[in-house]
Amino acid sequence: MQVTQLDALTYVGPQISVANMDDLRRLKIKTVIVARPEGETADQPDISAIREAADALGITIHQIPVVPGNVTSEDALAYATIIAGAGHPVFSYCRSGMRAASLWALRAAKQGQSPDEILHMAKTAGFDLSALTDQLTTKAA
């Protein structure tokens, strides 16, 4: 399982399986955000199976059905709302981790973090979020 830390309380990664729940528990993850629609690909586990495994470990699951290549303002608001009430640390995932990292970046900009710093942190973590530069700048303003 690939897990990338973006900040002190936020991790992102690609699609997980039920078998990965123990790995998340070892990281002390309290909240998981699924940033992809149900049934997006044939190999994607049902969220109900992920939720059941997470519930057994005391991990809360949320879903934001982000369409690939189209992180909306509504998606970013849903993410920020979940994070505001979430147990930390948080792990967000999608197919590759890119949508999850994008949601994190938009929230960080809204909280006043500089777009340059956000882009640098994301790049260091392996995510090129330069396509979000305009959105990050708007959110930070």
Side-chain angles (χ1 to χ4, degrees), residues 1-4 12-16 91-97 127:
M1 180 174 116
Q2 180 184 342
V3 176
T4 302
V12 297
Q15 177 66 55
I16 62 170
F91 174 74
S92 301
Y93 74 87
C94 56
R95 187 186 58 76
S96 68
F127 297 98

Side-chain angles (χ1 to χ4, degrees), residues 80-104:
T81 301
I82 292 166
I83 293 295
H88 290 86
V90 173
F91 174 74
S92 301
Y93 74 87
C94 56
R95 187 186 58 76
S96 68
M98 183 64 85
R99 286 173 276 180
S102 296
L103 290 169
W104 164 83

Side-chain angles (χ1 to χ4, degrees), residues 5-140:
Q5 190 167 6
L6 293 174
D7 63 29
L9 298 174
T10 310
Y11 298 83
V12 297
Q15 177 66 55
I16 62 170
S17 69
V18 169
N20 298 129
M21 284 296 130
D22 281 332
D23 296 327
L24 295 178
R25 184 182 52 81
R26 280 191 286 281
L27 288 171
K28 302 192 184 322
I29 298 297
K30 301 290 185 213
T31 303
V32 172
I33 300 172
V34 182
R36 64 188 308 202
E38 185 75 19
E40 182 179 68
T41 60
D43 62 344
Q44 177 182 351
D46 290 336
I47 192 167
S48 60
I50 298 288
R51 188 180 312 278
E52 184 178 320
D55 285 348
L57 298 173
I59 299 171
T60 302
I61 300 286
H62 296 276
Q63 182 179 31
I64 305 170
V66 180
V67 175
N70 188 31
V71 178
T72 67
S73 296
E74 291 81 14
D75 297 333
L77 178 60
Y79 179 84
T81 301
I82 292 166
I83 293 295
H88 290 86
V90 173
F91 174 74
S92 301
Y93 74 87
C94 56
R95 187 186 58 76
S96 68
M98 183 64 85
R99 286 173 276 180
S102 296
L103 290 169
W104 164 83
L106 292 169
R107 178 179 176 268
K110 184 72 172 172
Q111 291 191 307
Q113 197 166 355
S114 85
D116 288 340
E117 184 178 354
I118 294 166
L119 292 171
H120 175 73
M121 290 171 70
K123 188 156 188 92
T124 299
F127 297 98
D128 179 3
L129 300 182
S130 57
L132 291 179
T133 300
D134 290 343
Q135 283 179 277
L136 295 174
T137 303
T138 301
K139 294 251 185 244

